[in-house]
Amino acid sequence: HRARPAFPDGQLYVDLQGAGPRPAEPETVLGSFLRALGTADSAIPDSLEERSALYRSVLDGRRVLVLLDNAKDAAQVRPLLPGTEGCAALVTSRVRMVDLAGAQLVDLDVMSPDEALSLFTKIVGEERVAAEREAALDVVAACGFLPLAIRIAASRLAARRTWTVSSCRSF
């Protein structure tokens, strides 16, 4: 969000579902990106190579940030990289993509207990967490201080206004 001003021509986001049983196909993602960038369906080619080339041509002269979340591997990511000056890509993955040329790798650790509790609180609400702070700390610890796990647990709790934070320990 803080980088948005540096990319005034837009941002593209996709969950590549790399950790799931059916990772997103680059051809499908490119079709979605091209449509989002204003390309008519009839102008979108069938092959991966042609879609990738058209995608890069459409991005030429634009400043767009591409967020490729939850990537499976470098092969899935390569065709989705903008490859044009002024654009940038941010790739998240559970695997280190050492074979992705030009990538700057940044390893992230789990959240600190304070960061994890802050995220949990933003989703669940200050009042509920303040009433059961120790239970909330137990929940974020049970989530391994991992942001995705915390978001899932907190969202489930937030959707159930009658549940206490303590009841969240059981799932």
Side-chain angles (χ1 to χ4, degrees):
H1 293 286
R2 285 184 269 160
R4 185 175 294 213
F7 301 97
D9 296 318
Q11 299 81 40
L12 297 170
Y13 169 84
V14 65
D15 177 356
L16 293 172
Q17 303 171 14
R22 289 193 195 142
E25 294 294 332
E27 295 94 335
T28 304
V29 174
L30 284 168
S32 296
F33 280 179
L34 287 165
R35 281 188 285 285
L37 292 165
T39 305
D41 283 340
S42 60
I44 297 175
D46 292 330
S47 78
L48 173 62
E49 293 77 18
E50 290 175 320
R51 284 184 181 202
S52 189
L54 178 59
Y55 168 64
R56 289 186 176 108
S57 294
V58 169
L59 287 177
D60 189 39
R62 295 184 184 187
R63 291 175 27 206
V64 175
L65 176 63
V66 181
L67 177 53
L68 305 172
D69 194 17
N70 194 13
K72 177 184 175 189
D73 55 27
Q76 183 189 35
V77 167
R78 276 189 200 98
L80 306 175
L81 296 175
T84 58
E85 190 174 323
C87 293
L90 179 62
V91 181
T92 68
S93 179
R94 295 180 186 194
V95 298
R96 289 180 56 84
M97 295 193 197
V98 295
D99 57 337
L100 196 57
Q104 184 177 25
L105 302 178
V106 178
D107 290 319
L108 298 177
D109 202 351
V110 297
M111 300 177 96
S112 72
D114 286 341
E115 291 169 327
L117 186 61
S118 175
L119 175 60
F120 187 80
T121 302
K122 285 179 185 173
I123 297 168
V124 172
E126 187 74 40
E127 288 181 31
R128 290 173 83 185
V129 173
E132 296 183 87
R133 182 175 165 77
E134 289 304 314
L137 286 168
D138 289 346
V139 170
V140 297
C143 291
F145 303 105
L146 296 168
L148 180 58
I150 293 167
R151 283 186 182 278
I152 291 168
S155 295
R156 287 184 69 189
L157 182 60
R160 293 160 178 88
R161 299 300 303 165
T162 59
W163 286 13
T164 64
V165 175
S166 298
S167 65
C168 195
R169 292 178 184 168
S170 64
F171 59 81

